[in-house]
Amino acid sequence: MTAPTPAFPDIRAAMPAPPVAPTVLASGSPRRALPCMGPQAQRIVVRKLTLAPGGATDWHYHQYPMLVVVSAGTLTYTDADGRQEVYPAGSTFTEHVDVVHRGRNLGTDPLVLLLVHFLPTARTPLSIAADPAAGAPRPSGAAPHRHPSGGAARRW
């Protein structure tokens, strides 16, 4: 005799990951210039982003320097040209300005990122949604910016 087939198949694998909802941990203004993160940094925002297994950010880019710390899990960072970098827990890197990318959690454990945004003004958006086929628009209206040669991000 064979085992009975369950009446309801396990659909958890087909369910989308919950939406990305970063939490702002702190924000403030530097008292002195921070030349290592852009002398124009007027506002610093620290956020925590958790991605469930299978979760991903939307395609986006940043108009300013940003520091990323992988606190738990493994981040797969993909730019619009298809380059991938894998960052395990404990990794720290900077994201390039105006490079269209997304982050994914391809692992089985939650991915936790600490994001430090170095904003030129209080009104600068934390990220801008983008079409990976088009790249990020340049302020001058020039051709879309693609990733500079040498890898997806600078690892520290």
Side-chain angles (χ1 to χ4, degrees):
M1 187 164 175
T2 60
T5 303
F8 301 101
D10 188 354
I11 62 169
R12 287 176 289 183
M15 295 174 65
V20 176
T23 303
V24 174
L25 300 177
S27 67
S29 299
R31 297 181 98 186
R32 294 181 180 87
L34 301 170
C36 64
M37 282 302 175
Q40 76 279 10
Q42 298 296 310
R43 189 93 176 134
I44 300 171
V45 176
V46 180
R47 298 191 306 165
K48 177 181 175 182
L49 172 66
T50 302
L51 290 175
T57 67
D58 291 332
W59 288 97
H60 65 282
Y61 66 97
H62 308 280
Q63 297 176 311
Y64 51 84
M66 193 172 136
L67 177 68
V68 179
V69 178
V70 182
S71 179
T74 301
L75 169 67
T76 300
Y77 174 105
T78 307
D79 73 17
D81 289 331
R83 289 184 198 78
Q84 284 192 357
E85 290 280 335
V86 176
Y87 298 99
S91 298
T92 302
F93 64 96
T94 56
E95 288 190 0
H96 290 287
V97 175
D98 292 336
V99 173
V100 176
H101 65 280
R102 73 175 179 163
R104 295 181 296 157
N105 180 0
L106 301 178
T108 57
D109 297 318
L111 168 63
V112 180
L113 303 175
L114 299 176
L115 310 170
V116 184
H117 304 264
F118 295 89
L119 306 168
T121 72
R123 293 183 179 176
T124 303
L126 295 176
S127 65
I128 298 172
D131 176 355
R138 303 296 288 169
S140 65
H145 182 69
R146 295 299 195 152
H147 190 278
S149 59
R154 186 173 60 190
R155 201 182 287 251
W156 284 8

